[in-house]
Amino acid sequence: MTNLDQLQPIHLRGFELRVIGLPLVRPFRTSFGTQNDRRILLVRAIADEGDGWGECVSGDDPLYSSEYVEISHHVMIHHLIPRLLTADGAPLHATDVARLLEPVKEHRMAKGALEAAVLDAQLRANGVPLTTALGSVVDRVPSGVSVGIHDDIDSLVRTIGGYLDEGYVRIKLKIEPGSDIEPVRVIRQTFGDAVPLQVDANTAYTRDDGAHLARLDRFGLLLIEQPLPEDDVTGHAIIARQVVTPICLDESIVSARAAVDAIERGACSIVNIKAGRVGGYLEAVEVHDVCRERGIPVWCGGMLETGIGRAMNLALAALPNFTLTGDVSASERFWARDIVRDPIVLEHGHVVLRTGPGTGVELDHDFIASVTLSSETVLRR
Ligand code: NPQ
Ligand code: MG
């Protein structure tokens, strides 16, 4: 990572918090529920030197984690933004944000979104791309797709066939008890053993399910993601001893410290990194680094982001220890129309990094205005 402290700081005036609503191109079902559309909290950092944008990955409901849009909005307004808009108006570095927000417990998605907006503003003001700041080493990354739970296997096969035709190089299938072994068996039977395939349970199993999950071993999956609840690290270590397929953690890994803990306890041999889940892109780089030092490969998760978060995820996914294909799909996987002017597209199974200053994306402000549900601006008093 570039020494961000050597960049010129910015003089922060305030933030705009804007909630937009976007319909999904098709429903997305996970073990915790079905999503038809998505509210997304966008954050604009307003500085003397110019603006920056970030995106909060909180969901509509507290189902993936305890955070959701209204809560993230509330904690930003009442607890986080006041800590960044200090009375003296001292110059701010993006690297200061996590430390200033540290006294507030949890709310990592909210913290991460504020840091992302400040980071974008500071990088744009300095003319530095996020890719340079994070330490990206490639200009494009292979693209995987996350496939929801389907009611019938024929439609699942059609959906996956469509994604493979589009060029996605890895399929991740959402599973839950009652929809796991059989869909995986049919996918393998239909598309063969060569298709890179993995499954994600989003915490739907228990410590007693080790023998059941071991029935997935014969299908040669890349990994099983987060079979047990997020606080059951020891449970994952128990499961990991019963299955041959590597266990990967998502929800459990809320910081670099949590990653070290899970690795040292034998709970996972692969880590999914999502910046929002760990409190921001700078902590995400720390997670990457501690995994790399311990020989644990990582991959970049997805949270149904717009073009802002997607561009940032791409910069992260280009770091050297991201050796497994991530969930950074083309924008059209989720959205009929993105809020950026140059949405991420799939090119021969890859997605290409944005290289302009900051996130490098240009927002479609007219479209954003048309999908805005609420907006609020908080300025230094
Ligand atoms: C995962 N994402 O890896 C998550 C789960 C997820 C692409 O599989 C709204 C907001 C709906 C966040 C549904 C993918 C969501 C969401 C699923 C995150 O576990
Ligand atoms: Mg997951």
Side-chain angles (χ1 to χ4, degrees), residues 24 28 30 32-33 35 37-38 57-60 64 146-147 172 174 200 202 225 250-251 272 274 299 301-304 327 333-334:
L24 290 177
F28 184 52
T30 67
F32 58 77
Q35 199 83 25
D37 43 45
R38 174 124 163 64
V57 298
S58 301
D60 293 70
Y64 168 83
S146 178
V147 179
K172 162 169 135 180
K174 293 290 186 178
D200 185 1
N202 287 112
E225 183 178 348
D250 171 356
E251 285 90 330
N272 164 320
K274 292 174 179 169
W299 56 281
M303 291 292 283
L304 284 57
D327 280 344
R333 155 69 183 89
F334 292 109

Side-chain angles (χ1 to χ4, degrees), residues 15-20 41-42 44 53 73 77 368-369 372-378:
F15 289 94
E16 175 191 334
L17 303 185
R18 184 179 282 260
V19 179
I20 61 168
L41 170 55
L42 304 179
R44 176 165 71 108
W53 286 83
H73 187 278
I77 295 275
I368 291 175
T372 294
L373 303 174
S374 71
S375 93
E376 196 168 338
T377 300
V378 187

Side-chain angles (χ1 to χ4, degrees), residues 70-82 104 107 110:
E70 284 90 345
I71 286 289
S72 297
H73 187 278
H74 188 281
V75 79
M76 284 182 191
I77 295 275
H78 295 282
H79 301 284
L80 302 178
I81 291 175
V104 176
H107 296 286

